[in-house]
Amino acid sequence: MRKVRLAVLLWCMGAGTGSGMAQAKQASLSEIAGLNQALREATEHMDNAATLALWAEDGVSLLPSTKPLVGKAAIAKFMDEVMGGLKGARMESFALDCFDTVVSGDLGSEWCTEHQVVELGGGKPVFDGRGKMLLVLRKGGDGQWRIVREMWNQAE
């Protein structure tokens, strides 16, 4: 009888731990969905500061035909240079859809598709672009998820 009680107690402890882990994972998925929404809004408003707030200090961006952008300062410089060439541009529409979010402790990953239509102004043709991204995320000591790795390429 004693063995049965011990087995039941251990099973209940395990079930409780599993339930707690499931709740923590669900909370992380919800937080990452919030990060995705913040990224969507920052991009829609072409707001570099809001976008950079979503990056870890040691983040790395891997874009086509460019050297890796290592660190938040390098990412900020690149974004400022790009936006400097887009004076008067206005985002007409932006869509970001992320899939297959996986969480393991304080790390997460997902892949996303994006579609943006930007009115460039000055008689330039409208930019209508699509891309695919792979994001690696990390939850910081402050409880916030941030982008630590991004790989982007053009989609059809």
Side-chain angles (χ1 to χ4, degrees), residues 56-82:
E57 289 298 324
D58 61 345
V60 176
S61 180
L62 303 170
L63 302 173
S65 303
T66 65
K67 293 180 182 177
L69 301 171
V70 180
K72 199 172 187 175
I75 295 166
K77 181 177 183 261
F78 176 81
M79 291 175 69
D80 288 344
E81 289 171 358
V82 168

mmCIF file with all atom_site columns, all heavy atoms in Angstrom, residues 56-82:
data_model
loop_
_atom_site.group_PDB
_atom_site.id
_atom_site.type_symbol
_atom_site.label_atom_id
_atom_site.label_alt_id
_atom_site.label_comp_id
_atom_site.label_asym_id
_atom_site.label_entity_id
_atom_site.label_seq_id
_atom_site.pdbx_PDB_ins_code
_atom_site.Cartn_x
_atom_site.Cartn_y
_atom_site.Cartn_z
_atom_site.occupancy
_atom_site.B_iso_or_equiv
_atom_site.pdbx_formal_charge
_atom_site.auth_seq_id
_atom_site.auth_comp_id
_atom_site.auth_asym_id
_atom_site.auth_atom_id
_atom_site.pdbx_PDB_model_num
ATOM 1   N N   . ALA A 1 56 ? 17.882 42.160 -29.613 1.00 0.00 ? 56 ALA A N   1
ATOM 2   C CA  . ALA A 1 56 ? 18.854 41.984 -28.534 1.00 0.00 ? 56 ALA A CA  1
ATOM 3   C C   . ALA A 1 56 ? 20.114 42.765 -28.896 1.00 0.00 ? 56 ALA A C   1
ATOM 4   O O   . ALA A 1 56 ? 20.405 42.988 -30.078 1.00 0.00 ? 56 ALA A O   1
ATOM 5   C CB  . ALA A 1 56 ? 19.185 40.499 -28.363 1.00 0.00 ? 56 ALA A CB  1
ATOM 6   N N   . GLU A 1 57 ? 20.858 43.190 -27.892 1.00 0.00 ? 57 GLU A N   1
ATOM 7   C CA  . GLU A 1 57 ? 22.096 43.939 -28.129 1.00 0.00 ? 57 GLU A CA  1
ATOM 8   C C   . GLU A 1 57 ? 23.071 43.161 -29.012 1.00 0.00 ? 57 GLU A C   1
ATOM 9   O O   . GLU A 1 57 ? 23.787 43.751 -29.812 1.00 0.00 ? 57 GLU A O   1
ATOM 10  C CB  . GLU A 1 57 ? 22.775 44.295 -26.802 1.00 0.00 ? 57 GLU A CB  1
ATOM 11  C CG  . GLU A 1 57 ? 22.047 45.349 -25.991 1.00 0.00 ? 57 GLU A CG  1
ATOM 12  C CD  . GLU A 1 57 ? 21.941 46.696 -26.677 1.00 0.00 ? 57 GLU A CD  1
ATOM 13  O OE1 . GLU A 1 57 ? 22.896 47.094 -27.397 1.00 0.00 ? 57 GLU A OE1 1
ATOM 14  O OE2 . GLU A 1 57 ? 20.906 47.371 -26.496 1.00 0.00 ? 57 GLU A OE2 1
ATOM 15  N N   . ASP A 1 58 ? 23.096 41.834 -28.871 1.00 0.00 ? 58 ASP A N   1
ATOM 16  C CA  . ASP A 1 58 ? 24.024 41.010 -29.639 1.00 0.00 ? 58 ASP A CA  1
ATOM 17  C C   . ASP A 1 58 ? 23.362 40.379 -30.867 1.00 0.00 ? 58 ASP A C   1
ATOM 18  O O   . ASP A 1 58 ? 23.847 39.396 -31.409 1.00 0.00 ? 58 ASP A O   1
ATOM 19  C CB  . ASP A 1 58 ? 24.642 39.925 -28.757 1.00 0.00 ? 58 ASP A CB  1
ATOM 20  C CG  . ASP A 1 58 ? 23.603 38.973 -28.173 1.00 0.00 ? 58 ASP A CG  1
ATOM 21  O OD1 . ASP A 1 58 ? 22.386 39.292 -28.198 1.00 0.00 ? 58 ASP A OD1 1
ATOM 22  O OD2 . ASP A 1 58 ? 23.994 37.895 -27.676 1.00 0.00 ? 58 ASP A OD2 1
ATOM 23  N N   . GLY A 1 59 ? 22.274 40.969 -31.326 1.00 0.00 ? 59 GLY A N   1
ATOM 24  C CA  . GLY A 1 59 ? 21.547 40.433 -32.469 1.00 0.00 ? 59 GLY A CA  1
ATOM 25  C C   . GLY A 1 59 ? 22.376 40.423 -33.744 1.00 0.00 ? 59 GLY A C   1
ATOM 26  O O   . GLY A 1 59 ? 23.314 41.210 -33.903 1.00 0.00 ? 59 GLY A O   1
ATOM 27  N N   . VAL A 1 60 ? 22.021 39.508 -34.652 1.00 0.00 ? 60 VAL A N   1
ATOM 28  C CA  . VAL A 1 60 ? 22.693 39.395 -35.947 1.00 0.00 ? 60 VAL A CA  1
ATOM 29  C C   . VAL A 1 60 ? 21.613 39.301 -37.025 1.00 0.00 ? 60 VAL A C   1
ATOM 30  O O   . VAL A 1 60 ? 20.705 38.476 -36.928 1.00 0.00 ? 60 VAL A O   1
ATOM 31  C CB  . VAL A 1 60 ? 23.604 38.146 -36.017 1.00 0.00 ? 60 VAL A CB  1
ATOM 32  C CG1 . VAL A 1 60 ? 24.218 38.008 -37.408 1.00 0.00 ? 60 VAL A CG1 1
ATOM 33  C CG2 . VAL A 1 60 ? 24.683 38.199 -34.950 1.00 0.00 ? 60 VAL A CG2 1
ATOM 34  N N   . SER A 1 61 ? 21.736 40.157 -38.045 1.00 0.00 ? 61 SER A N   1
ATOM 35  C CA  . SER A 1 61 ? 20.818 40.130 -39.178 1.00 0.00 ? 61 SER A CA  1
ATOM 36  C C   . SER A 1 61 ? 21.580 39.658 -40.407 1.00 0.00 ? 61 SER A C   1
ATOM 37  O O   . SER A 1 61 ? 22.644 40.200 -40.742 1.00 0.00 ? 61 SER A O   1
ATOM 38  C CB  . SER A 1 61 ? 20.223 41.518 -39.421 1.00 0.00 ? 61 SER A CB  1
ATOM 39  O OG  . SER A 1 61 ? 19.328 41.478 -40.518 1.00 0.00 ? 61 SER A OG  1
ATOM 40  N N   . LEU A 1 62 ? 21.021 38.644 -41.058 1.00 0.00 ? 62 LEU A N   1
ATOM 41  C CA  . LEU A 1 62 ? 21.629 38.072 -42.259 1.00 0.00 ? 62 LEU A CA  1
ATOM 42  C C   . LEU A 1 62 ? 20.713 38.373 -43.440 1.00 0.00 ? 62 LEU A C   1
ATOM 43  O O   . LEU A 1 62 ? 19.679 37.743 -43.617 1.00 0.00 ? 62 LEU A O   1
ATOM 44  C CB  . LEU A 1 62 ? 21.814 36.561 -42.084 1.00 0.00 ? 62 LEU A CB  1
ATOM 45  C CG  . LEU A 1 62 ? 22.646 36.144 -40.876 1.00 0.00 ? 62 LEU A CG  1
ATOM 46  C CD1 . LEU A 1 62 ? 22.560 34.641 -40.671 1.00 0.00 ? 62 LEU A CD1 1
ATOM 47  C CD2 . LEU A 1 62 ? 24.083 36.596 -41.033 1.00 0.00 ? 62 LEU A CD2 1
ATOM 48  N N   . LEU A 1 63 ? 21.111 39.364 -44.210 1.00 0.00 ? 63 LEU A N   1
ATOM 49  C CA  . LEU A 1 63 ? 20.330 39.800 -45.364 1.00 0.00 ? 63 LEU A CA  1
ATOM 50  C C   . LEU A 1 63 ? 21.045 39.389 -46.640 1.00 0.00 ? 63 LEU A C   1
ATOM 51  O O   . LEU A 1 63 ? 22.275 39.250 -46.657 1.00 0.00 ? 63 LEU A O   1
ATOM 52  C CB  . LEU A 1 63 ? 20.151 41.318 -45.328 1.00 0.00 ? 63 LEU A CB  1
ATOM 53  C CG  . LEU A 1 63 ? 19.479 41.876 -44.073 1.00 0.00 ? 63 LEU A CG  1
ATOM 54  C CD1 . LEU A 1 63 ? 19.517 43.398 -44.080 1.00 0.00 ? 63 LEU A CD1 1
ATOM 55  C CD2 . LEU A 1 63 ? 18.056 41.370 -43.972 1.00 0.00 ? 63 LEU A CD2 1
ATOM 56  N N   . PRO A 1 64 ? 20.314 39.236 -47.733 1.00 0.00 ? 64 PRO A N   1
ATOM 57  C CA  . PRO A 1 64 ? 20.957 38.847 -48.999 1.00 0.00 ? 64 PRO A CA  1
ATOM 58  C C   . PRO A 1 64 ? 21.965 39.902 -49.462 1.00 0.00 ? 64 PRO A C   1
ATOM 59  O O   . PRO A 1 64 ? 21.742 41.103 -49.287 1.00 0.00 ? 64 PRO A O   1
ATOM 60  C CB  . PRO A 1 64 ? 19.801 38.745 -49.986 1.00 0.00 ? 64 PRO A CB  1
ATOM 61  C CG  . PRO A 1 64 ? 18.556 38.814 -49.196 1.00 0.00 ? 64 PRO A CG  1
ATOM 62  C CD  . PRO A 1 64 ? 18.882 39.407 -47.872 1.00 0.00 ? 64 PRO A CD  1
ATOM 63  N N   . SER A 1 65 ? 23.031 39.443 -50.028 1.00 0.00 ? 65 SER A N   1
ATOM 64  C CA  . SER A 1 65 ? 24.026 40.301 -50.685 1.00 0.00 ? 65 SER A CA  1
ATOM 65  C C   . SER A 1 65 ? 24.623 41.365 -49.769 1.00 0.00 ? 65 SER A C   1
ATOM 66  O O   . SER A 1 65 ? 25.016 42.433 -50.233 1.00 0.00 ? 65 SER A O   1
ATOM 67  C CB  . SER A 1 65 ? 23.414 40.972 -51.919 1.00 0.00 ? 65 SER A CB  1
ATOM 68  O OG  . SER A 1 65 ? 22.916 39.995 -52.805 1.00 0.00 ? 65 SER A OG  1
ATOM 69  N N   . THR A 1 66 ? 24.646 41.119 -48.479 1.00 0.00 ? 66 THR A N   1
ATOM 70  C CA  . THR A 1 66 ? 25.276 42.045 -47.542 1.00 0.00 ? 66 THR A CA  1
ATOM 71  C C   . THR A 1 66 ? 26.094 41.236 -46.538 1.00 0.00 ? 66 THR A C   1
ATOM 72  O O   . THR A 1 66 ? 25.835 40.048 -46.324 1.00 0.00 ? 66 THR A O   1
ATOM 73  C CB  . THR A 1 66 ? 24.247 42.888 -46.756 1.00 0.00 ? 66 THR A CB  1
ATOM 74  O OG1 . THR A 1 66 ? 23.473 42.022 -45.923 1.00 0.00 ? 66 THR A OG1 1
ATOM 75  C CG2 . THR A 1 66 ? 23.333 43.672 -47.662 1.00 0.00 ? 66 THR A CG2 1
ATOM 76  N N   . LYS A 1 67 ? 27.058 41.897 -45.926 1.00 0.00 ? 67 LYS A N   1
ATOM 77  C CA  . LYS A 1 67 ? 27.793 41.267 -44.844 1.00 0.00 ? 67 LYS A CA  1
ATOM 78  C C   . LYS A 1 67 ? 26.845 41.127 -43.656 1.00 0.00 ? 67 LYS A C   1
ATOM 79  O O   . LYS A 1 67 ? 25.899 41.916 -43.518 1.00 0.00 ? 67 LYS A O   1
ATOM 80  C CB  . LYS A 1 67 ? 28.993 42.131 -44.441 1.00 0.00 ? 67 LYS A CB  1
ATOM 81  C CG  . LYS A 1 67 ? 30.058 42.220 -45.502 1.00 0.00 ? 67 LYS A CG  1
ATOM 82  C CD  . LYS A 1 67 ? 31.201 43.085 -45.030 1.00 0.00 ? 67 LYS A CD  1
ATOM 83  C CE  . LYS A 1 67 ? 32.245 43.202 -46.120 1.00 0.00 ? 67 LYS A CE  1
ATOM 84  N NZ  . LYS A 1 67 ? 33.340 44.088 -45.729 1.00 0.00 ? 67 LYS A NZ  1
ATOM 85  N N   . PRO A 1 68 ? 27.090 40.158 -42.781 1.00 0.00 ? 68 PRO A N   1
ATOM 86  C CA  . PRO A 1 68 ? 26.252 40.048 -41.579 1.00 0.00 ? 68 PRO A CA  1
ATOM 87  C C   . PRO A 1 68 ? 26.294 41.350 -40.776 1.00 0.00 ? 68 PRO A C   1
ATOM 88  O O   . PRO A 1 68 ? 27.349 41.976 -40.648 1.00 0.00 ? 68 PRO A O   1
ATOM 89  C CB  . PRO A 1 68 ? 26.901 38.898 -40.794 1.00 0.00 ? 68 PRO A CB  1
ATOM 90  C CG  . PRO A 1 68 ? 27.600 38.083 -41.829 1.00 0.00 ? 68 PRO A CG  1
ATOM 91  C CD  . PRO A 1 68 ? 28.087 39.081 -42.858 1.00 0.00 ? 68 PRO A CD  1
ATOM 92  N N   . LEU A 1 69 ? 25.144 41.753 -40.302 1.00 0.00 ? 69 LEU A N   1
ATOM 93  C CA  . LEU A 1 69 ? 25.043 42.920 -39.424 1.00 0.00 ? 69 LEU A CA  1
ATOM 94  C C   . LEU A 1 69 ? 25.115 42.377 -37.998 1.00 0.00 ? 69 LEU A C   1
ATOM 95  O O   . LEU A 1 69 ? 24.166 41.747 -37.526 1.00 0.00 ? 69 LEU A O   1
ATOM 96  C CB  . LEU A 1 69 ? 23.736 43.661 -39.667 1.00 0.00 ? 69 LEU A CB  1
ATOM 97  C CG  . LEU A 1 69 ? 23.519 44.161 -41.095 1.00 0.00 ? 69 LEU A CG  1
ATOM 98  C CD1 . LEU A 1 69 ? 22.098 44.685 -41.273 1.00 0.00 ? 69 LEU A CD1 1
ATOM 99  C CD2 . LEU A 1 69 ? 24.544 45.219 -41.451 1.00 0.00 ? 69 LEU A CD2 1
ATOM 100 N N   . VAL A 1 70 ? 26.230 42.614 -37.338 1.00 0.00 ? 70 VAL A N   1
ATOM 101 C CA  . VAL A 1 70 ? 26.468 42.022 -36.024 1.00 0.00 ? 70 VAL A CA  1
ATOM 102 C C   . VAL A 1 70 ? 26.339 43.096 -34.955 1.00 0.00 ? 70 VAL A C   1
ATOM 103 O O   . VAL A 1 70 ? 27.107 44.064 -34.932 1.00 0.00 ? 70 VAL A O   1
ATOM 104 C CB  . VAL A 1 70 ? 27.862 41.362 -35.963 1.00 0.00 ? 70 VAL A CB  1
ATOM 105 C CG1 . VAL A 1 70 ? 28.106 40.754 -34.593 1.00 0.00 ? 70 VAL A CG1 1
ATOM 106 C CG2 . VAL A 1 70 ? 27.996 40.295 -37.054 1.00 0.00 ? 70 VAL A CG2 1
ATOM 107 N N   . GLY A 1 71 ? 25.367 42.933 -34.088 1.00 0.00 ? 71 GLY A N   1
ATOM 108 C CA  . GLY A 1 71 ? 25.135 43.863 -32.992 1.00 0.00 ? 71 GLY A CA  1
ATOM 109 C C   . GLY A 1 71 ? 24.065 44.888 -33.328 1.00 0.00 ? 71 GLY A C   1
ATOM 110 O O   . GLY A 1 71 ? 23.855 45.244 -34.486 1.00 0.00 ? 71 GLY A O   1
ATOM 111 N N   . LYS A 1 72 ? 23.418 45.339 -32.296 1.00 0.00 ? 72 LYS A N   1
ATOM 112 C CA  . LYS A 1 72 ? 22.315 46.287 -32.450 1.00 0.00 ? 72 LYS A CA  1
ATOM 113 C C   . LYS A 1 72 ? 22.775 47.594 -33.102 1.00 0.00 ? 72 LYS A C   1
ATOM 114 O O   . LYS A 1 72 ? 22.053 48.184 -33.902 1.00 0.00 ? 72 LYS A O   1
ATOM 115 C CB  . LYS A 1 72 ? 21.698 46.552 -31.075 1.00 0.00 ? 72 LYS A CB  1
ATOM 116 C CG  . LYS A 1 72 ? 20.329 47.121 -31.088 1.00 0.00 ? 72 LYS A CG  1
ATOM 117 C CD  . LYS A 1 72 ? 19.782 47.128 -29.663 1.00 0.00 ? 72 LYS A CD  1
ATOM 118 C CE  . LYS A 1 72 ? 18.339 47.525 -29.614 1.00 0.00 ? 72 LYS A CE  1
ATOM 119 N NZ  . LYS A 1 72 ? 17.795 47.424 -28.254 1.00 0.00 ? 72 LYS A NZ  1
ATOM 120 N N   . ALA A 1 73 ? 23.991 48.036 -32.786 1.00 0.00 ? 73 ALA A N   1
ATOM 121 C CA  . ALA A 1 73 ? 24.501 49.278 -33.372 1.00 0.00 ? 73 ALA A CA  1
ATOM 122 C C   . ALA A 1 73 ? 24.646 49.155 -34.886 1.00 0.00 ? 73 ALA A C   1
ATOM 123 O O   . ALA A 1 73 ? 24.298 50.086 -35.626 1.00 0.00 ? 73 ALA A O   1
ATOM 124 C CB  . ALA A 1 73 ? 25.832 49.660 -32.729 1.00 0.00 ? 73 ALA A CB  1
ATOM 125 N N   . ALA A 1 74 ? 25.140 48.020 -35.364 1.00 0.00 ? 74 ALA A N   1
ATOM 126 C CA  . ALA A 1 74 ? 25.286 47.815 -36.814 1.00 0.00 ? 74 ALA A CA  1
ATOM 127 C C   . ALA A 1 74 ? 23.923 47.732 -37.491 1.00 0.00 ? 74 ALA A C   1
ATOM 128 O O   . ALA A 1 74 ? 23.739 48.252 -38.593 1.00 0.00 ? 74 ALA A O   1
ATOM 129 C CB  . ALA A 1 74 ? 26.095 46.544 -37.080 1.00 0.00 ? 74 ALA A CB  1
ATOM 130 N N   . ILE A 1 75 ? 22.976 47.088 -36.831 1.00 0.00 ? 75 ILE A N   1
ATOM 131 C CA  . ILE A 1 75 ? 21.615 46.991 -37.375 1.00 0.00 ? 75 ILE A CA  1
ATOM 132 C C   . ILE A 1 75 ? 20.993 48.382 -37.448 1.00 0.00 ? 75 ILE A C   1
ATOM 133 O O   . ILE A 1 75 ? 20.380 48.753 -38.453 1.00 0.00 ? 75 ILE A O   1
ATOM 134 C CB  . ILE A 1 75 ? 20.766 46.016 -36.532 1.00 0.00 ? 75 ILE A CB  1
ATOM 135 C CG1 . ILE A 1 75 ? 21.346 44.595 -36.657 1.00 0.00 ? 75 ILE A CG1 1
ATOM 136 C CG2 . ILE A 1 75 ? 19.297 46.057 -36.962 1.00 0.00 ? 75 ILE A CG2 1
ATOM 137 C CD1 . ILE A 1 75 ? 20.819 43.612 -35.626 1.00 0.00 ? 75 ILE A CD1 1
ATOM 138 N N   . ALA A 1 76 ? 21.180 49.186 -36.404 1.00 0.00 ? 76 ALA A N   1
ATOM 139 C CA  . ALA A 1 76 ? 20.648 50.554 -36.378 1.00 0.00 ? 76 ALA A CA  1
ATOM 140 C C   . ALA A 1 76 ? 21.248 51.393 -37.502 1.00 0.00 ? 76 ALA A C   1
ATOM 141 O O   . ALA A 1 76 ? 20.529 52.118 -38.203 1.00 0.00 ? 76 ALA A O   1
ATOM 142 C CB  . ALA A 1 76 ? 20.929 51.197 -35.024 1.00 0.00 ? 76 ALA A CB  1
ATOM 143 N N   . LYS A 1 77 ? 22.557 51.288 -37.706 1.00 0.00 ? 77 LYS A N   1
ATOM 144 C CA  . LYS A 1 77 ? 23.231 52.049 -38.758 1.00 0.00 ? 77 LYS A CA  1
ATOM 145 C C   . LYS A 1 77 ? 22.662 51.674 -40.123 1.00 0.00 ? 77 LYS A C   1
ATOM 146 O O   . LYS A 1 77 ? 22.364 52.546 -40.949 1.00 0.00 ? 77 LYS A O   1
ATOM 147 C CB  . LYS A 1 77 ? 24.734 51.790 -38.699 1.00 0.00 ? 77 LYS A CB  1
ATOM 148 C CG  . LYS A 1 77 ? 25.536 52.557 -39.723 1.00 0.00 ? 77 LYS A CG  1
ATOM 149 C CD  . LYS A 1 77 ? 27.038 52.291 -39.545 1.00 0.00 ? 77 LYS A CD  1
ATOM 150 C CE  . LYS A 1 77 ? 27.836 53.114 -40.513 1.00 0.00 ? 77 LYS A CE  1
ATOM 151 N NZ  . LYS A 1 77 ? 28.270 52.419 -41.691 1.00 0.00 ? 77 LYS A NZ  1
ATOM 152 N N   . PHE A 1 78 ? 22.518 50.382 -40.370 1.00 0.00 ? 78 PHE A N   1
ATOM 153 C CA  . PHE A 1 78 ? 21.969 49.913 -41.639 1.00 0.00 ? 78 PHE A CA  1
ATOM 154 C C   . PHE A 1 78 ? 20.554 50.463 -41.847 1.00 0.00 ? 78 PHE A C   1
ATOM 155 O O   . PHE A 1 78 ? 20.222 50.975 -42.920 1.00 0.00 ? 78 PHE A O   1
ATOM 156 C CB  . PHE A 1 78 ? 21.959 48.386 -41.677 1.00 0.00 ? 78 PHE A CB  1
ATOM 157 C CG  . PHE A 1 78 ? 21.321 47.817 -42.908 1.00 0.00 ? 78 PHE A CG  1
ATOM 158 C CD1 . PHE A 1 78 ? 22.029 47.721 -44.097 1.00 0.00 ? 78 PHE A CD1 1
ATOM 159 C CD2 . PHE A 1 78 ? 20.001 47.379 -42.884 1.00 0.00 ? 78 PHE A CD2 1
ATOM 160 C CE1 . PHE A 1 78 ? 21.436 47.210 -45.244 1.00 0.00 ? 78 PHE A CE1 1
ATOM 161 C CE2 . PHE A 1 78 ? 19.395 46.866 -44.019 1.00 0.00 ? 78 PHE A CE2 1
ATOM 162 C CZ  . PHE A 1 78 ? 20.117 46.779 -45.200 1.00 0.00 ? 78 PHE A CZ  1
ATOM 163 N N   . MET A 1 79 ? 19.719 50.350 -40.822 1.00 0.00 ? 79 MET A N   1
ATOM 164 C CA  . MET A 1 79 ? 18.336 50.833 -40.940 1.00 0.00 ? 79 MET A CA  1
ATOM 165 C C   . MET A 1 79 ? 18.296 52.337 -41.206 1.00 0.00 ? 79 MET A C   1
ATOM 166 O O   . MET A 1 79 ? 17.499 52.803 -42.026 1.00 0.00 ? 79 MET A O   1
ATOM 167 C CB  . MET A 1 79 ? 17.547 50.475 -39.681 1.00 0.00 ? 79 MET A CB  1
ATOM 168 C CG  . MET A 1 79 ? 17.303 48.985 -39.537 1.00 0.00 ? 79 MET A CG  1
ATOM 169 S SD  . MET A 1 79 ? 16.487 48.563 -37.983 1.00 0.00 ? 79 MET A SD  1
ATOM 170 C CE  . MET A 1 79 ? 14.875 49.258 -38.277 1.00 0.00 ? 79 MET A CE  1
ATOM 171 N N   . ASP A 1 80 ? 19.159 53.097 -40.525 1.00 0.00 ? 80 ASP A N   1
ATOM 172 C CA  . ASP A 1 80 ? 19.205 54.545 -40.745 1.00 0.00 ? 80 ASP A CA  1
ATOM 173 C C   . ASP A 1 80 ? 19.626 54.874 -42.170 1.00 0.00 ? 80 ASP A C   1
ATOM 174 O O   . ASP A 1 80 ? 19.082 55.785 -42.785 1.00 0.00 ? 80 ASP A O   1
ATOM 175 C CB  . ASP A 1 80 ? 20.144 55.210 -39.736 1.00 0.00 ? 80 ASP A CB  1
ATOM 176 C CG  . ASP A 1 80 ? 19.567 55.247 -38.330 1.00 0.00 ? 80 ASP A CG  1
ATOM 177 O OD1 . ASP A 1 80 ? 18.335 55.048 -38.172 1.00 0.00 ? 80 ASP A OD1 1
ATOM 178 O OD2 . ASP A 1 80 ? 20.352 55.455 -37.382 1.00 0.00 ? 80 ASP A OD2 1
ATOM 179 N N   . GLU A 1 81 ? 20.586 54.111 -42.705 1.00 0.00 ? 81 GLU A N   1
ATOM 180 C CA  . GLU A 1 81 ? 21.029 54.338 -44.080 1.00 0.00 ? 81 GLU A CA  1
ATOM 181 C C   . GLU A 1 81 ? 19.903 54.042 -45.068 1.00 0.00 ? 81 GLU A C   1
ATOM 182 O O   . GLU A 1 81 ? 19.691 54.802 -46.016 1.00 0.00 ? 81 GLU A O   1
ATOM 183 C CB  . GLU A 1 81 ? 22.256 53.475 -44.391 1.00 0.00 ? 81 GLU A CB  1
ATOM 184 C CG  . GLU A 1 81 ? 23.512 53.941 -43.689 1.00 0.00 ? 81 GLU A CG  1
ATOM 185 C CD  . GLU A 1 81 ? 24.670 52.971 -43.814 1.00 0.00 ? 81 GLU A CD  1
ATOM 186 O OE1 . GLU A 1 81 ? 24.512 51.881 -44.422 1.00 0.00 ? 81 GLU A OE1 1
ATOM 187 O OE2 . GLU A 1 81 ? 25.752 53.289 -43.286 1.00 0.00 ? 81 GLU A OE2 1
ATOM 188 N N   . VAL A 1 82 ? 19.196 52.947 -44.847 1.00 0.00 ? 82 VAL A N   1
ATOM 189 C CA  . VAL A 1 82 ? 18.081 52.594 -45.729 1.00 0.00 ? 82 VAL A CA  1
ATOM 190 C C   . VAL A 1 82 ? 17.005 53.672 -45.667 1.00 0.00 ? 82 VAL A C   1
ATOM 191 O O   . VAL A 1 82 ? 16.530 54.158 -46.701 1.00 0.00 ? 82 VAL A O   1
ATOM 192 C CB  . VAL A 1 82 ? 17.498 51.211 -45.365 1.00 0.00 ? 82 VAL A CB  1
ATOM 193 C CG1 . VAL A 1 82 ? 16.166 50.975 -46.069 1.00 0.00 ? 82 VAL A CG1 1
ATOM 194 C CG2 . VAL A 1 82 ? 18.489 50.112 -45.706 1.00 0.00 ? 82 VAL A CG2 1
#
